[in-house]
């Protein structure tokens, strides 16, 4: 009889301990998923940079104003988008029209369909975003092009030194600009 009472008294403690153990194991496995695998020198290739579907939104491009600004139809209304972390020459500056036209060509290859990940809003009420298009290559149907990176890596824009760190892929933009400078692409020619 005493053993049954003891078991009944210990049962809630055992249940709490089991639940805590399960929660800890789930938390631990989620933490390990975000750490690099130093034991695997050949990690599986990353398919793309686009954000998770819950963070991204599809839109149709209405107009490209410059190499870093465009207008899209988002949720049934036009929204001005400023590409996060980059600064392209304006239309009146040297290379401004070329930068705009290059962005237009990238968007045209995707039939004016883009995926935007909005990070912020600027003083001019533009949405600050990373923008992606599907890669038109037939051998890469699941991959996308990161437009912010494409502009920087080809020298059609530079990184915006003040704001590039605020972009989720800001370090990639900085690497792209360094590569464009090293190769003498676009405005670094």
């Amino acid at each position: 009889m005493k053993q049954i009472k003891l078991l009944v008294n210990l049962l809630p403690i055992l249940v709490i301990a089991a639940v805590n153990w399960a929660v800890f194991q789930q938390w631990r496995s989620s933490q390990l998923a975000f750490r690099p695998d130093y034991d695997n020198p050949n990690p599986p290739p990353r398919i793309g940079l686009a954000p998770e579907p819950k963070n991204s939104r599809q839109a149709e491009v209405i107009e490209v104003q410059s190499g870093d600004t465009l207008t899209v139809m988002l949720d049934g209304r036009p929204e001005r988008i400023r590409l996060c972390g980059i600064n392209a020459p304006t239309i009146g500056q040297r290379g401004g029209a070329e930068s705009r036209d290059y962005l237009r060509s990238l968007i045209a290859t995707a039939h004016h369909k883009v995926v935007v990940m909005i990070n912020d809003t600027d003083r001019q009420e533009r949405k600050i975003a990373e923008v992606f298009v599907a890669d038109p290559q037939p051998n890469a149907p699941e991959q996308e092009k990161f437009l912010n990176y494409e502009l920087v890596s080809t020298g059609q824009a530079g990184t915006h030194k003040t704001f590039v760190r605020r972009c989720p892929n800001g370090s990639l933009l900085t690497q792209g600009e360094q590569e464009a400078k090293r190769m003498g692409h676009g405005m670094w020619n």
Side-chain angles (χ1 to χ4, degrees):
M1 189 68 165
K2 284 184 176 183
Q3 291 174 340
I4 293 175
K5 274 187 170 181
L6 180 63
L7 185 60
V8 169
N9 288 336
L10 287 177
L11 189 59
I13 295 171
L14 292 173
V15 168
I16 290 171
V19 168
N20 283 336
W21 178 255
V23 169
F24 172 74
Q25 291 299 323
Q26 186 176 7
W27 172 82
R28 185 172 173 236
S29 66
S30 71
Q31 293 301 307
L32 292 175
F34 293 110
R35 294 185 182 164
D37 184 5
Y38 294 107
D39 296 328
N40 183 3
N42 299 313
R46 187 168 177 200
I47 291 178
L49 298 170
E52 293 295 319
K54 63 183 178 186
N55 296 331
S56 61
R57 296 158 65 189
Q58 292 189 354
E60 183 172 352
V61 177
I62 299 170
E63 180 184 5
V64 177
Q65 287 87 9
S66 68
D68 57 20
T69 306
L70 54 127
T71 302
V72 300
M73 187 62 74
L74 194 62
D75 298 330
R77 65 178 192 272
E79 287 282 353
R80 289 192 67 209
I81 303 288
R82 169 72 191 249
L83 298 181
C84 185
I86 73 169
N87 194 18
T90 60
I91 296 303
Q93 294 176 326
R94 184 175 144 226
E98 292 85 358
S99 178
R100 179 200 58 207
D101 293 344
Y102 183 68
L103 180 56
R104 282 179 177 166
S105 72
L106 291 171
I107 291 168
T109 62
H111 308 288
H112 301 278
K113 305 287 186 217
V114 296
V115 175
V116 296
M117 186 177 94
I118 298 172
N119 300 327
D120 204 354
T121 303
D122 70 5
R123 291 179 292 200
Q124 298 173 9
E125 298 300 315
R126 295 178 296 191
K127 303 296 183 193
I128 307 299
E130 290 187 338
V131 181
F132 303 83
V133 296
D135 191 341
Q137 301 299 320
N139 59 347
E142 294 295 318
Q143 293 196 13
E144 70 280 338
K145 284 188 176 187
F146 177 29
L147 295 185
N148 308 47
Y149 175 80
E150 292 295 323
L151 287 156
V152 170
S153 67
T154 58
Q156 299 299 320
T159 59
H160 195 296
K161 304 301 181 219
T162 306
F163 299 111
V164 72
R165 290 183 300 270
R166 295 184 187 178
C167 299
N169 291 303
S171 61
L172 183 64
L173 296 175
T174 302
Q175 291 172 7
E177 181 182 59
Q178 290 169 352
E179 182 68 17
K181 285 179 179 179
R182 188 176 68 74
M183 300 296 287
H185 291 310
M187 62 192 206
W188 309 114
N189 188 353

